[in-house]
Amino acid sequence: MEESVARRAGDTHRWPAGPLRDSSITRVAHVVMTATAGTEREQRAVRSVAQVFLTDDGWSQTLRGIHAVLRRGGHLVFETRRPEFRAWEEWAADTAQVTLDVPGIGPVERRFELTDVSLPFVSFRYTYRFVADGAVVTSDSTLRFRNRDEVETNLVADGYRVLDVREAPDRPGREFVFIAAPPP
């Protein structure tokens, strides 16, 4: 995403990565929370950064932190999966190994495993095997699936107006796109 924006916007945009509290940003016009690009299979369980906040407190702290840096008239835009779509069922059905060619490392085999569904939480594991030396690394993750009413309630409680809730145009029925702003 950074490369795409840099080609179009030159030096007018900054794309900080990491916790907002670690950033030198004081005021911004817009905040977009998204994940890295890739095919649905490559993205499987990491598409929506809003879902990595598992606790109400963590999610609220994030929303309040963003609110504190938004300029008047600024917007928060983010996507989140619709729990009623039950995306994890597709993930569980697609467990075929994928071999990635990683520059400087060589082939890496990747497997996906759905490890637990205890709504609103869905947990999964990626297992990576580095073909060159046989080393194995696992990555366990959990996402929280919030429904539309819960997200809207959270936004309002943390000082936002919900301006619009749309479908992701490339994933209709699968995700909501929230557009929110502080009061004028």
Side-chain angles (χ1 to χ4, degrees):
M1 181 167 24
E2 287 180 21
E3 292 174 19
S4 175
V5 170
R7 282 194 298 268
R8 285 186 256 144
D11 293 330
T12 63
H13 291 76
R14 291 185 9 197
W15 296 91
L20 191 59
R21 67 182 172 276
D22 296 343
S23 173
S24 62
I25 293 176
T26 55
R27 287 286 179 207
V28 297
H30 306 289
V31 172
V32 177
M33 290 195 309
T34 189
T36 58
T39 66
E40 180 67 28
R41 186 170 192 212
E42 291 167 339
Q43 284 296 302
R44 194 183 319 241
V46 295
R47 183 178 296 273
S48 177
V49 72
Q51 290 183 264
V52 302
F53 302 100
L54 302 181
T55 66
D56 292 335
D57 188 51
W59 179 229
S60 183
Q61 285 178 14
T62 299
L63 293 174
R64 287 191 316 264
I66 292 168
H67 190 284
V69 300
L70 278 175
R71 293 180 188 152
R72 182 177 298 275
H75 296 90
L76 166 61
V77 179
F78 64 93
E79 62 199 9
T80 189
R81 287 185 193 82
R82 297 169 70 151
E84 65 271 18
F85 181 74
R86 303 176 64 84
W88 56 88
E89 291 175 351
E90 286 184 355
W91 306 341
D94 184 14
T95 59
Q97 176 180 294
V98 175
T99 301
L100 310 166
D101 187 19
V102 180
I105 294 176
V108 178
E109 298 170 349
R110 180 184 70 190
R111 285 201 177 275
F112 174 85
E113 176 187 1
L114 187 67
T115 56
D116 186 48
V117 177
S118 298
L119 294 178
F121 303 104
V122 175
S123 299
F124 53 93
R125 172 179 296 133
Y126 276 108
T127 302
Y128 301 90
R129 189 178 81 78
F130 295 79
V131 175
D133 65 3
V136 175
V137 175
T138 59
S139 174
D140 293 311
S141 299
T142 299
L143 298 177
R144 182 170 176 174
F145 283 75
R146 292 175 177 88
N147 65 39
R148 179 179 174 159
D149 290 341
E150 183 178 4
V151 174
E152 287 183 2
T153 298
N154 296 153
L155 286 165
V156 170
D158 287 309
Y160 292 89
R161 294 176 299 133
V162 178
L163 302 178
D164 199 3
V165 181
R166 301 177 183 176
E167 289 200 33
D170 59 331
R171 295 173 303 284
R174 294 174 175 254
E175 296 182 15
F176 292 118
V177 177
F178 286 85
I179 303 170

